[in-house]
Amino acid sequence: MAREGVPKGGRVKVKGIMSSVSSTPVAPGKTYPLSLLDHAMGLHHIRMVFYYRSDPAEPSCPVERERLKDSLTETLSFYPPVTGRLRIRDNGNWEVKCSDAGVRVIEATVGCTMDEWLRTFTPQEELQLTYWLDMPQDPSIWSPYYVQINEFQGGGIAVGLSCTHMHADPTCTTLFVGSWSDVHRGDTITHPPFFHPPGLRGRPTPNADTDSARYYEAKSKAHLPSSPSPPILMSTATFRFSEETVKKLLSQIQYPEATPFDALAALFWVSAARAKGVDPPSRLSLGFDLRKLLHAPLPRGFYGNALHFTNAVLTEAAGGETGGKAPCLGEAAGAIRSRLSGLGEEDFWSAIDWLESQKDADGKFAPPFRMYGPELTVLNMEQVPAYEAMFQKGVKPVLVNYRIGNAEGEGLVVVLPSPEEGLGRTVTVTLPSHEMKKLVEDEAILPLKSHLLVVDN
C-alpha cells in the first residue's frame, strides 16, 4: 500500500518502521466506542508537523530519537484508544478494541539543515515528514495513528503525527503531542485525556428545528461536482502574520467587533472568491472547537471530536447572493462575526440532535459526509496550544503546520496560532492550483506577500 499524497524520493529518507506500545499493558477486553461526532468525521484524516531546533543554550544536548521513543511508550499508557485497532460493533458502529498493538513509528532523516528546509520546502514536500495509509478493508491490522521522527543534518527534529479524524480532532491530537512532551520532560501532564464518548450525544428531548440542524442536513446532501479527468490539483500556501500586520488589517476592516480570526477569514474568503471568478462571494463554512463554549464546559483534554460547523452568508445589502457590488473586507468580517456571536448552546446541541436522529432502527449511525467542503471552509484553530508542546524546557516549536485530508471542493483555510504570543497568526490555505496562482497575486493579498512562507510550485 502506498503512502498517500507523498512524492517519491526527495530529501526525506525513511530509515525504518517499528511499532511503539504502551509501557503499561492494556487490560484485556477493554473497548472504546466512537461517538456520533467521531463517526461524522469518517471521510477525513489529520496530518501535523512540529519543528524543533536544539536548545540554543545547550546545543550539544539535542532531543534524541531513542529518548523520544521511550517517552512515547510512557505516554501511550495514558491513551489506550491510541494503541488499539478499529472494529465494527454489533450495532454496526465503530469502536476501538484497546490492545497493545501499538502505533507505527517511522524513523527518517532529512538531507539538509533545518534552516535550509524552512527556507526551501514546499507544502507538498512537507507531507514527506508524516506517514499516512488509508484504512484498508480489514482494519484489524491497521494503525489509526502514525508518528514520524525526522532528524535534520546539523541538529533539529520534526515530529510528524497523523491519524484518522474519527479518533480525534486537531485540539485532541495537539494535546496528545503536548502530553508526550510533558512526559518527555518528566513533568505532570498539563491536560490529561478525558475519555467519555457520551459527553456529546443527542438529548432525550431533541430539537432539530434550528438553523444549525438544517445546515448539517443540507451539508449531508451536498455533492461534489463530477470528478474531472484528470482530477483537479490542489496547492497549499502558508502565511505568517505578525501582530503588527494583524492590527493593521483590523484597522483597515473598520469593524469594531472583529477578531483576528474574523479579519483573516474575511481576507481569504473574498480573495479566494475573486480567484475563482465569483465576485461577490456568498457562503462560507466555519468550523471551531466547542469544548469551552458549552454551559457545562468539557475538559480541555476531552478525547475525540468536539468541532461545530456553521456558515456565514453575505446578504444582498453587503453584496452577496443577488447584490451587485463587491463586498469590502469589513462587510465580510461583519458577516462572520455576526454569525459566530449569534450562536448559542442550543445551536450546538441541535446539530448533535440531528446527527443522532439519523441513526437507523438498530442504532447504526448514518454514513459520514464531507465536513470540510464542498464549499470553502475556514477552520478556527487559534486557541490550539501547539506551541506549548516543548520536549526541552523553554524550547518551543519554531513552526507547527496542520493538514486535513480529503478536504475537497472549493478549499480549506486553517487559522493557527503563531510562535510569538499576541495577535500574530499562521494561516494555511489549500485551493485548486490554478486558483492559488491567482490568490497570491490578489489585490488584497499582494501587499501581504512578504508574509508568504511557502507555497506549492
Side-chain angles (χ1 to χ4, degrees), residues 62 95 106 147 191 198 266 279 310 369-370 373 382 413 424:
E95 71 175 4
I106 295 86
V147 172
H191 302 291
D279 195 7
T310 188
F369 48 90
R370 202 165 302 281
E382 290 179 309
V413 178

Side-chain angles (χ1 to χ4, degrees), residues 222-267:
H223 297 285
L224 289 169
S226 298
S227 298
S229 183
I232 294 176
L233 296 176
M234 304 295 283
S235 291
T236 297
T238 298
F239 297 80
R240 177 172 289 175
F241 297 98
S242 66
E243 180 168 13
E244 180 182 358
T245 303
V246 173
K247 286 181 177 178
K248 183 177 180 180
L249 182 60
L250 287 168
S251 67
Q252 292 173 346
I253 283 176
Q254 295 183 344
Y255 190 85
E257 293 81 15
T259 67
F261 173 79
D262 302 334
L264 291 167
L267 173 67

Side-chain angles (χ1 to χ4, degrees), residues 270-332:
V270 172
S271 298
R274 280 198 289 261
K276 189 179 291 293
V278 181
D279 195 7
S282 58
R283 294 180 179 273
L284 178 74
S285 279
L286 301 162
F288 54 90
D289 189 287
L290 57 77
R291 285 170 173 80
K292 294 304 179 183
L293 299 179
L294 299 173
H295 178 70
L298 292 169
R300 197 171 196 184
F302 175 80
Y303 183 88
N305 284 277
L307 291 174
H308 181 79
F309 290 84
T310 188
N311 67 327
V313 179
L314 277 170
T315 64
E316 182 175 346
E321 298 292 328
T322 59
K325 69 184 183 70
C328 70
L329 291 180
E331 291 165 335

Side-chain angles (χ1 to χ4, degrees), residues 34-307:
L34 298 187
S35 73
L36 62 89
L37 290 186
D38 296 335
H39 280 77
M41 306 307 298
L43 297 182
H44 304 288
H45 62 271
I46 299 171
R47 301 168 81 150
M48 47 202 284
V49 182
F50 293 67
Y51 293 91
Y52 296 90
R53 287 194 174 94
S54 298
D55 185 348
E58 297 184 75
S60 61
C61 300
V63 179
E64 296 179 355
R65 182 181 68 247
E66 292 303 318
R67 177 68 186 103
L68 275 174
K69 289 157 57 179
D70 290 343
S71 58
L72 177 60
T73 64
E74 297 176 47
T75 307
L76 291 173
S77 65
F78 298 97
Y79 289 85
V82 172
T83 61
R85 296 294 181 263
L86 285 168
R87 69 180 183 184
I88 298 292
R89 304 173 66 189
D90 292 340
N91 63 1
N93 294 327
W94 289 107
E95 71 175 4
V96 180
K97 179 184 179 182
C98 300
S99 67
D100 296 319
V103 301
R104 295 285 186 265
V105 177
I106 295 86
E107 300 178 19
T109 58
V110 185
C112 64
T113 65
M114 179 177 287
D115 286 338
E116 181 181 352
W117 175 270
L118 292 174
R119 288 195 309 269
T120 60
F121 81 93
T122 67
Q124 187 68 12
E125 188 180 28
E126 187 180 48
L127 291 176
Q128 295 182 69
L129 300 180
T130 61
Y131 190 93
W132 178 250
L133 296 176
D134 284 326
M135 185 192 300
Q137 190 170 3
D138 178 11
S140 64
I141 58 173
W142 175 74
S143 176
Y145 278 82
Y146 295 89
V147 172
Q148 184 165 321
I149 302 172
N150 306 277
E151 295 182 298
F152 290 88
Q153 290 182 356
I157 62 166
V159 175
L161 183 140
S162 59
C163 71
T164 170
H165 213 316
M166 281 203 303
H167 260 268
D169 61 17
T171 297
C172 185
T173 53
T174 301
L175 292 178
F176 173 77
V177 177
S179 296
W180 181 11
S181 69
D182 290 338
V183 170
H184 189 85
R185 297 193 316 272
D187 291 343
T188 302
I189 292 178
T190 305
H191 302 291
F194 177 74
F195 301 105
H196 188 56
L200 293 173
R201 66 180 177 186
R203 298 169 294 184
T205 305
N207 173 22
D209 186 21
T210 66
D211 287 343
S212 287
R214 286 186 282 273
Y215 168 77
Y216 273 69
E217 182 177 13
K219 180 177 278 290
S220 73
K221 297 176 181 178
H223 297 285
L224 289 169
S226 298
S227 298
S229 183
I232 294 176
L233 296 176
M234 304 295 283
S235 291
T236 297
T238 298
F239 297 80
R240 177 172 289 175
F241 297 98
S242 66
E243 180 168 13
E244 180 182 358
T245 303
V246 173
K247 286 181 177 178
K248 183 177 180 180
L249 182 60
L250 287 168
S251 67
Q252 292 173 346
I253 283 176
Q254 295 183 344
Y255 190 85
E257 293 81 15
T259 67
F261 173 79
D262 302 334
L264 291 167
L267 173 67
F268 287 100
W269 183 14
V270 172
S271 298
R274 280 198 289 261
K276 189 179 291 293
V278 181
D279 195 7
S282 58
R283 294 180 179 273
L284 178 74
S285 279
L286 301 162
F288 54 90
D289 189 287
L290 57 77
R291 285 170 173 80
K292 294 304 179 183
L293 299 179
L294 299 173
H295 178 70
L298 292 169
R300 197 171 196 184
F302 175 80
Y303 183 88
N305 284 277
L307 291 174

